[in-house]
C-alpha cells in the first residue's frame, strides 16, 4: 500500500550508486492531437537530476521534429521531491503527497504551463498483492530493480499550456507514475506501458512485456488496472497485437480482463508518435492514441521501453519484419 511518504525520496546512505527516483506526469489536449509529459529522474547518490519537458503533435521518426523538447540531463538533484524547483524552469509541488501536484514551467520559445493534477483514486501499488493480482506470484519487482517501488495514479488535469506562443486550455484525464530503485543504463528489458481514458468514469492502464523483434503480440502480462466509476480493479490478464512503421507503434487491438472477470476490448490508432529518449541509453517508442471501446472514443498514451542495446542487437530483425 502506498502512503503519503512514498511521494518523497526513498534512498539511504548505502543505496546503490545507480539509485533513481522518477515522477511522470502526462497531459494532453485532444482537439489539438497534442500530448505532453513532465518527467523527472533524480539520481540522489550522484547529486544529479534529469528533467524532460516534451510536447508531441505529429507522426515522425525523429524526436526533434516534435513541437517542443526541453531535455536536460545534468541538473542539480532537488533536496525534496515534495517541492521541486529546477533551473530549467520547472516547479513541481506535492500539495497532497501522492494525490495532488501543482506544476508550473517557464521554458523557451514562448512555452510555459500552469497545471494541477488531482488523483481520481488511491495510488495503485504494482507490487502489492492486495491490489495487483499478479504481484503475489512474483519473486521480485514487476519489471526490474528500478521498479523496486512503483505506483500509478490516474489524474484529472486542469490548467493552461502555452506552446510556442499558442494558448491551450488543458482539461483531461491522464495517468502518471512514480518509481524508485537502482536503475541501470544498459540493456533494459522490452516492455509496454499503456493507458487510455474516456473521462472520469473509465480508465484502463496496462503494463506488459513485448519482444518487438520477434512478434507483434503483447506478452507476458505484468500488471494494470481498470478505474471504473471511482473504483479500481486489478488486471488479471491481457492480450493484444500491434502494427508498426519500422519500430514505431501505429495502432492495434487489445483486450484486458480484471479481477471481476470483466473484459474490455479496444482498437486504437496513432495520433502522434515518435522516439522519446528521456535518458540516452533507453528509448521509448511513444504513441498518443485514439482508442475505441464500444463506440466511445478515448485518448491515451503508450510507451514501449527499449534499450538501445536491444534495438541495435535486433536491428536486422526489426527492419525485416517492419
Amino acid at each position: 500500500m502506498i502512503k503519503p511518504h512514498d511521494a518523497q525520496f526513498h534512498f539511504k546512505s548505502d543505496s546503490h550508486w545507480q539509485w533513481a527516483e522518477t515522477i511522470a506526469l502526462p497531459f494532453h489536449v485532444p482537439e489539438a492531437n497534442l500530448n505532453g509529459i513532465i518527467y523527472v529522474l533524480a539520481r540522489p547518490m550522484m547529486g544529479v537530476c534529469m528533467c524532460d519537458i516534451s510536447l508531441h503533435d505529429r507522426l515522425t521518426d525523429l524526436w526533434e521534429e516534435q513541437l517542443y523538447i526541453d531535455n536536460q540531463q545534468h541538473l542539480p538533484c532537488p533536496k525534496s521531491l515534495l517541492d521541486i524547483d529546477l533551473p530549467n524552469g520547472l516547479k513541481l509541488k506535492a500539495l497532497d503527497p501522492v494525490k495532488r501536484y501543482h506544476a508550473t514551467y517557464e521554458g523557451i520559445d514562448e512555452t510555459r504551463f500552469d497545471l494541477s493534477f488531482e488523483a481520481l483514486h488511491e495510488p495503485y501499488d504494482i507490487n502489492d498483492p492486495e491490489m495487483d493480482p499478479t504481484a503475489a506470484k512474483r519473486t521480485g519487482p514487476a519489471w526490474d530493480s528500478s521498479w523496486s517501488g512503483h505506483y500509478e495514479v490516474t489524474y484529472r488535469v486542469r490548467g493552461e499550456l502555452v506552446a510556442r506562443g499558442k494558448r491551450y486550455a488543458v482539461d483531461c484525464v491522464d495517468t502518471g507514475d512514480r518509481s524508485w530503485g537502482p536503475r541501470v543504463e544498459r540493456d533494459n528489458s522490452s516492455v509496454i506501458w499503456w493507458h487510455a481514458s474516456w473521462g472520469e468514469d473509465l480508465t484502463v492502464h496496462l503494463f506488459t512485456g513485448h519482444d518487438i523483434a520477434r512478434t507483434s503480440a503483447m506478452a507476458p502480462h505484468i500488471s494494470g488496472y481498470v478505474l471504473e466509476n471511482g473504483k479500481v480493479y486489478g488486471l488479471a490478464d491481457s492480450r493484444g497485437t500491434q502494427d508498426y512503421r519500422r519500430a514505431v507503434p501505429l495502432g492495434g487491438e487489445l483486450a484486458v480482463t480484471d479481477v471481476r472477470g470483466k473484459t474490455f476490448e479496444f482498437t486504437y490508432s496513432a495520433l502522434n508518435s515518435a522516439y522519446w529518449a528521456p535518458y540516452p541509453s533507453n528509448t521509448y517508442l511513444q504513441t498518443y492514441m485514439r482508442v475505441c471501446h464500444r463506440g466511445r472514443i478515448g485518448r491515451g498514451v503508450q510507451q514501449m521501453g527499449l534499450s538501445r542495446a536491444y534495438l541495435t542487437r535486433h536491428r536486422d530483425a526489426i527492419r525485416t519484419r517492419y
Side-chain angles (χ1 to χ4, degrees):
M1 179 180 291
I2 300 299
K3 300 291 187 180
H5 67 260
D6 288 313
Q8 183 56 285
F9 279 120
H10 289 74
F11 74 97
K12 301 177 181 178
S13 59
D14 60 349
S15 293
H16 192 277
W17 67 271
Q18 287 181 309
W19 187 274
E21 307 246 359
T22 71
I23 302 172
L25 295 171
F27 57 93
H28 62 273
V29 182
E31 60 272 19
N33 286 342
L34 186 158
N35 69 298
I37 188 166
I38 305 165
Y39 188 65
V40 176
L41 185 150
R43 291 193 179 274
M45 303 304 291
M46 302 177 72
V48 295
C49 173
M50 184 286 301
C51 183
D52 180 85
I53 307 293
S54 291
L55 302 174
H56 295 174
D57 68 346
R58 64 190 58 188
L59 290 161
T60 176
D61 291 330
L62 300 176
W63 192 23
E64 59 269 24
E65 287 186 353
Q66 293 297 352
L67 179 61
Y68 182 85
I69 305 293
D70 183 7
N71 181 284
Q72 299 189 39
Q73 295 288 320
H74 297 102
L75 299 169
C77 187
K79 292 182 171 57
S80 169
L81 292 182
L82 303 182
D83 194 356
I84 296 171
D85 188 349
L86 296 178
N88 67 342
L90 176 70
K91 295 183 179 180
L92 180 62
K93 188 175 183 63
L95 303 176
D96 184 356
V98 309
K99 291 185 178 180
R100 291 176 59 216
Y101 283 96
H102 181 228
T104 62
Y105 171 72
E106 289 289 338
I108 60 173
D109 299 336
E110 296 185 81
T111 299
R112 59 189 179 273
F113 55 67
D114 187 327
L115 301 171
S116 64
F117 295 79
E118 186 90 25
L120 298 178
H121 60 98
E122 293 296 318
Y124 187 81
D125 186 345
I126 197 171
N127 295 314
D128 184 353
E130 295 296 319
M131 287 189 169
D132 195 301
T134 65
K137 300 176 184 178
R138 301 189 208 118
T139 56
W143 182 17
D144 59 23
S145 63
S146 66
W147 287 38
S148 298
H150 181 91
Y151 61 86
E152 274 99 13
V153 179
T154 297
Y155 298 96
R156 187 84 205 190
V157 189
R158 293 185 174 95
E160 183 179 79
L161 164 70
V162 178
R164 299 197 176 277
K166 188 172 182 178
R167 194 176 305 273
Y168 301 91
V170 177
D171 188 356
C172 66
V173 176
D174 218 323
T175 298
D177 71 359
R178 163 114 171 80
S179 298
W180 59 90
R183 181 171 297 216
V184 301
E185 291 194 82
R186 181 171 65 191
D187 213 11
N188 307 92
S189 57
S190 173
V191 294
I192 291 175
W193 188 81
W194 190 106
H195 67 265
S197 296
W198 291 261
E200 294 190 9
D201 63 310
L202 181 62
T203 289
V204 174
H205 167 70
L206 171 66
F207 186 52
T208 180
H210 180 49
D211 191 353
I212 185 178
R214 296 181 175 86
T215 179
S216 298
M218 300 178 185
H221 172 76
I222 298 173
S223 178
Y225 61 83
V226 172
L227 172 63
E228 187 174 29
N229 297 322
K231 295 185 178 180
V232 173
Y233 306 93
L235 293 186
D237 190 30
S238 63
R239 58 192 183 278
T241 60
Q242 291 205 124
D243 298 314
Y244 297 89
R245 179 181 180 272
R246 296 177 182 170
V248 176
L250 293 183
E253 299 178 345
L254 177 65
V256 301
T257 303
D258 66 24
V259 291
R260 299 171 294 177
K262 189 172 182 177
T263 297
F264 298 78
E265 297 180 338
F266 317 99
T267 59
Y268 57 94
S269 58
L271 296 172
N272 70 56
S273 189
Y275 288 83
W276 176 58
Y279 43 101
S281 64
N282 205 61
T283 186
Y284 292 85
L285 303 176
Q286 176 164 286
T287 298
Y288 175 54
M289 307 174 294
R290 177 193 293 113
V291 187
C292 182
H293 171 63
R294 295 186 175 179
R296 294 183 67 187
I297 301 299
R299 296 289 189 275
V301 168
Q302 71 154 293
Q303 297 171 355
M304 182 163 59
L306 294 171
S307 72
R308 296 192 191 275
Y310 177 96
L311 288 168
T312 53
R313 180 183 302 129
H314 297 295
R315 62 178 185 170
D316 293 332
I318 291 173
R319 288 172 179 169
T320 299
R321 291 194 64 237
Y322 305 110

